[in-house]
Amino acid sequence: MDIFIGFLNTTGISQMTIGNLIMIVVGLIFISLAIIKDYEPLLLLPIGFGAIAGNIPSIAGMPLSVYDPGSVLNYIYFGVSQGIFPPLIFLGIGAMTDFSTMLANPKLVLLGAAAQLGIFGTLLGALYLGFTPAEAGAIGIIGGADGPTSIFLSAKLAPHLLGAIAIAAYSYMALVPVIQPPIMNLLTTKKERLIRMKPPRVVSKREKMIFPIIAFMVCVLIVPGALSLLGMLFLGNLLKESTVTERLANTARNSLIDIVTILLGFSVGASTQAQVFLTSKSLMIFGLGALSFCVATAGGVLFAKFMNLFLKEKINPLVGAAGVSAVPDSARVVQMVGHKNDPNNHLLMHAMAPNVAGVVGSAIAAGVLWSVLVK
Amino acid sequence: MLNINMSIDNIFNGQGIDVALTGMIIVFGALVLVSLLISVLPRLLDFYARYYPEKEGHGASKKPVDDEIVAAIALALLQKRFQKSNKE
């Protein structure tokens, strides 16, 4: 009987706290959003399931959670805590990305830079709220709207905030179709939203092949801190564009990225134990995360309007919102908002240019913050 | 309980303005440079192509299909449909 009672005391039910229950509900909400609303299902589903798994109370003396050295989850989480998974995801993204629209219209690259205003604006907001500079840098990167970059930088600058930052980044990425349209409509006139852009020119194979090498060298020579992210991104793209490594490109954009996404999503979710996650800091991070997406969207749209002051061939300012590097969601949102205003205006191709430039921009910003703020 | 230490001094003590400005300038600088190189690249490649033209096949660009060929195919298909409907 004693053994039975002893066993009952070790069950998850007897050790469950209110905090654990709240986080399990959060996990269930993530899974529901993924399945019912189709919001970033590839990430929200493993993260949601991970959040449930991470909040099942573990037994003292048994290494089970991501924070218990030697546990299976701890080994998987190693890829997150040491920043190994994000560059591998970037390899896959590179092998999927077609930079031709950006190569066809280089001025749109600047919109990808302008949207990084969200990162630095949020950094100031986080400092104002009392976070340390390193923590503020890690929170600020949420504004890059790039999950792997957020995880990479927070693993380097503020590992104790990694769970909250990753969850905030991915949640808001999933909510891009909800967050961006009101800001885009607010900051543009009907006339601006109707602007039609010239179709992009055809880009030669040689340009596509040379671009990843040149862009990698330029960016990394300026910001060596972005080496692992941009190195993998441009390697992936070169695998795709070289046409001689199709097998490798296929593996990078299919099997590899899928495996890493599962491991990353699940272990990040499992790191959201109530005792670590449910703090006042996490609440502030969520608030700042929402702010960062708004500032980034506004930065891109307003900079497109600024550029129009000097350009003969005007840019549709909605395209600026795609500088937020949630690929390809923010480009889709631009297409959707543009299409609502003029059903014959197709902005998707144009929006992909600042979208992919935003990925490069946020990786550069992460490299800058890492080199400036690391102790 | 929320334990917030809000103060504008935090921004100055943490050199927030300096970090933000430096960061924005570097991001813009790097992407402007990338943008300039992308703009120059086609001209450089055109010049290079005069001496080393892009070859068909392995790694070369696919030539866009000529408009006249597309029109000819469309006409042929149209005629075939007409012939078919006349027979019926």
Side-chain angles (χ1 to χ4, degrees), chain A residues 82-92 148-149 152-153 156 216 219-220 223-236 363-364 366-367 370:
Chain A
Q82 299 304 309
I84 298 166
F85 290 155
L88 291 177
I89 289 199
F90 261 55
L91 181 74
T149 308
F152 181 82
L153 191 66
K156 303 293 175 198
F216 168 67
C219 296
V220 168
V223 189
L227 180 86
S228 37
L229 289 175
L230 289 180
M232 293 305 238
L233 179 81
F234 288 123
L235 169 64
I364 294 173
W370 188 20

XYZ file of all heavy atoms in Angstrom, chain A residues 82-92 148-149 152-153 156 216 219-220 223-236 363-364 366-367 370:
283
model
N 22.409 26.311 -27.707
C 23.732 26.640 -28.274
C 23.602 27.295 -29.656
O 24.609 27.518 -30.330
C 24.595 25.372 -28.383
C 24.873 24.698 -27.058
C 25.527 25.651 -26.049
O 26.518 26.300 -26.351
N 24.941 25.753 -24.855
N 22.397 27.575 -30.066
C 22.195 28.257 -31.353
C 22.581 27.414 -32.559
O 23.058 27.950 -33.564
N 22.366 26.093 -32.489
C 22.717 25.218 -33.621
C 21.554 25.124 -34.614
O 21.759 25.164 -35.824
C 23.076 23.792 -33.111
C 24.305 23.873 -32.209
C 23.349 22.841 -34.286
C 24.536 22.620 -31.388
N 20.341 25.020 -34.091
C 19.191 24.830 -34.992
C 18.925 26.029 -35.923
O 18.650 25.811 -37.110
C 17.911 24.522 -34.189
C 17.912 23.157 -33.525
C 17.137 22.913 -32.398
C 18.682 22.111 -34.028
C 17.127 21.665 -31.785
C 18.671 20.857 -33.423
C 17.899 20.641 -32.302
N 18.992 27.279 -35.397
C 18.647 28.400 -36.293
C 19.468 28.452 -37.587
O 18.886 28.586 -38.668
C 18.860 29.636 -35.413
C 18.621 29.147 -34.036
C 19.174 27.751 -34.014
N 20.801 28.290 -37.550
C 21.522 28.309 -38.831
C 21.107 27.169 -39.761
O 21.086 27.343 -40.982
C 22.997 28.167 -38.418
C 23.055 28.637 -37.028
C 21.756 28.255 -36.417
N 20.754 26.000 -39.186
C 20.317 24.883 -40.039
C 18.985 25.221 -40.715
O 18.758 24.878 -41.871
C 20.183 23.595 -39.210
C 21.506 23.011 -38.703
C 21.247 21.786 -37.832
C 22.414 22.636 -39.863
N 18.127 25.920 -39.983
C 16.856 26.356 -40.587
C 17.150 27.371 -41.696
O 16.532 27.348 -42.761
C 15.923 26.939 -39.516
C 15.437 25.788 -38.646
C 14.758 27.709 -40.144
C 14.224 26.009 -37.841
N 18.115 28.230 -41.451
C 18.493 29.221 -42.478
C 19.020 28.530 -43.746
O 18.825 29.021 -44.844
C 19.541 30.192 -41.913
C 18.933 31.499 -41.460
C 17.898 31.513 -40.535
C 19.368 32.714 -41.963
C 17.315 32.704 -40.131
C 18.784 33.908 -41.570
C 17.760 33.904 -40.651
N 19.697 27.404 -43.564
C 20.185 26.652 -44.739
C 18.992 26.238 -45.608
O 19.006 26.407 -46.828
C 20.969 25.417 -44.274
C 21.556 24.539 -45.369
C 22.772 25.198 -46.000
C 21.970 23.169 -44.820
N 17.971 25.719 -44.945
C 16.759 25.305 -45.667
C 16.052 26.490 -46.300
O 15.601 26.417 -47.446
N 14.007 31.941 -36.159
C 15.346 31.401 -35.928
C 16.347 32.460 -35.469
O 17.167 32.200 -34.583
C 15.745 30.856 -37.306
C 14.472 30.626 -38.023
C 13.506 31.637 -37.513
N 16.247 33.677 -36.028
C 17.170 34.743 -35.621
C 16.924 35.130 -34.170
O 17.871 35.348 -33.405
C 17.005 35.980 -36.545
O 17.101 35.547 -37.893
C 18.052 37.023 -36.287
N 18.403 32.431 -32.021
C 19.871 32.478 -32.084
C 20.399 33.578 -31.171
O 21.287 33.347 -30.353
C 20.301 32.727 -33.537
C 21.781 32.772 -33.729
C 22.513 31.600 -33.853
C 22.463 33.974 -33.789
C 23.888 31.627 -34.019
C 23.836 34.007 -33.962
C 24.547 32.833 -34.082
N 19.828 34.788 -31.302
C 20.370 35.907 -30.537
C 20.050 35.789 -29.051
O 20.906 36.084 -28.211
C 19.841 37.241 -31.095
C 20.561 38.457 -30.525
C 22.025 38.496 -30.965
C 19.886 39.756 -30.910
N 22.359 33.620 -27.271
C 23.679 34.228 -27.048
C 23.633 35.309 -25.973
O 24.544 35.428 -25.160
C 24.207 34.867 -28.349
C 24.309 33.937 -29.533
C 25.355 32.868 -29.328
C 25.368 31.870 -30.464
N 26.048 30.623 -30.137
N 27.019 37.390 -49.350
C 27.586 36.783 -48.140
C 28.868 37.514 -47.737
O 29.033 37.906 -46.580
C 27.869 35.296 -48.390
C 28.709 34.657 -47.312
C 28.217 34.507 -46.035
C 30.001 34.226 -47.578
C 28.986 33.935 -45.034
C 30.776 33.657 -46.584
C 30.267 33.509 -45.304
N 28.159 41.222 -46.499
C 27.494 41.300 -45.190
C 28.404 40.818 -44.069
O 28.483 41.436 -43.002
C 26.215 40.470 -45.195
S 24.989 41.077 -46.346
N 29.084 39.723 -44.313
C 29.859 39.114 -43.221
C 31.164 39.862 -42.970
O 31.649 39.901 -41.836
C 30.072 37.620 -43.530
C 31.086 37.013 -42.613
C 28.756 36.896 -43.403
N 29.691 42.635 -40.846
C 29.175 42.147 -39.553
C 29.522 40.661 -39.383
O 28.701 39.789 -39.699
C 27.636 42.325 -39.478
C 27.139 42.031 -38.067
C 27.207 43.708 -39.890
N 30.723 40.341 -38.884
C 31.090 38.922 -38.740
C 30.151 38.145 -37.818
O 30.035 36.933 -37.937
C 32.507 38.980 -38.153
C 32.995 40.360 -38.435
C 31.804 41.247 -38.473
N 29.456 38.855 -36.933
C 28.530 38.192 -36.007
C 27.390 37.477 -36.727
O 26.758 36.589 -36.159
N 27.157 37.878 -37.984
C 26.052 37.255 -38.732
C 26.528 36.063 -39.543
O 25.762 35.519 -40.343
C 25.415 38.299 -39.651
N 27.780 35.654 -39.310
C 28.397 34.598 -40.143
C 27.587 33.300 -40.186
O 27.299 32.780 -41.263
C 29.822 34.307 -39.654
C 30.557 33.235 -40.440
C 31.234 33.830 -41.653
C 31.573 32.525 -39.589
N 27.221 32.790 -38.998
C 26.576 31.477 -39.026
C 25.192 31.537 -39.660
O 24.802 30.606 -40.385
C 26.523 30.850 -37.635
O 26.281 31.816 -36.680
N 24.441 32.616 -39.420
C 23.098 32.705 -40.008
C 23.180 32.974 -41.512
O 22.615 32.232 -42.318
C 22.292 33.815 -39.325
C 21.834 33.549 -37.883
C 21.165 34.778 -37.300
C 20.880 32.367 -37.804
N 23.914 34.025 -41.875
C 23.973 34.382 -43.302
C 24.781 33.368 -44.108
O 24.477 33.114 -45.277
C 24.556 35.786 -43.472
C 23.631 36.914 -43.021
C 24.281 38.272 -43.232
C 22.301 36.859 -43.745
N 25.802 32.791 -43.473
C 26.597 31.768 -44.162
C 25.714 30.626 -44.609
O 25.761 30.187 -45.761
N 24.873 30.154 -43.698
C 23.997 29.035 -44.032
C 22.912 29.459 -45.021
O 22.560 28.699 -45.919
C 23.359 28.463 -42.763
C 24.340 27.798 -41.841
S 25.280 26.519 -42.701
C 24.892 25.113 -41.745
N 22.382 30.671 -44.850
C 21.336 31.159 -45.764
C 21.866 31.206 -47.200
O 21.236 30.675 -48.126
C 20.881 32.563 -45.339
C 19.816 33.190 -46.231
C 18.438 32.665 -45.884
C 19.808 34.708 -46.094
N 23.028 31.799 -47.369
C 23.557 31.955 -48.728
C 24.132 30.643 -49.271
O 24.114 30.425 -50.475
C 24.580 33.093 -48.776
C 23.934 34.446 -48.650
C 24.303 35.330 -47.659
C 22.919 34.828 -49.518
C 23.691 36.571 -47.535
C 22.295 36.068 -49.403
C 22.680 36.941 -48.409
N 24.627 29.781 -48.376
C 25.067 28.455 -48.850
C 23.853 27.697 -49.414
O 23.926 27.115 -50.505
C 25.712 27.660 -47.706
C 25.978 26.185 -48.011
C 26.993 26.027 -49.149
C 26.466 25.434 -46.780
N 22.762 27.740 -48.656
C 21.533 27.076 -49.113
C 21.098 27.611 -50.464
O 20.716 26.851 -51.362
N 19.174 39.350 -39.880
C 20.370 38.579 -39.495
C 21.552 39.530 -39.265
O 22.350 39.330 -38.333
C 20.710 37.559 -40.578
N 21.649 40.577 -40.092
C 22.721 41.568 -39.885
C 22.504 42.283 -38.551
O 23.442 42.451 -37.763
C 22.748 42.595 -41.053
C 23.137 41.911 -42.367
C 23.726 43.731 -40.750
C 23.035 42.805 -43.596
N 21.006 41.151 -35.967
C 21.346 40.212 -34.878
C 22.863 40.175 -34.688
O 23.364 40.177 -33.549
C 20.823 38.820 -35.204
N 23.597 40.164 -35.789
C 25.057 40.147 -35.720
C 25.590 41.401 -35.049
O 26.502 41.338 -34.212
N 24.735 41.270 -31.310
C 25.581 40.274 -30.625
C 26.976 40.855 -30.389
O 27.500 40.796 -29.281
C 25.651 38.998 -31.482
C 26.327 37.846 -30.802
C 26.515 37.694 -29.451
C 26.887 36.692 -31.422
N 27.155 36.499 -29.200
C 27.392 35.863 -30.392
C 27.005 36.264 -32.742
C 28.027 34.653 -30.650
C 27.615 35.058 -32.994
C 28.132 34.252 -31.958
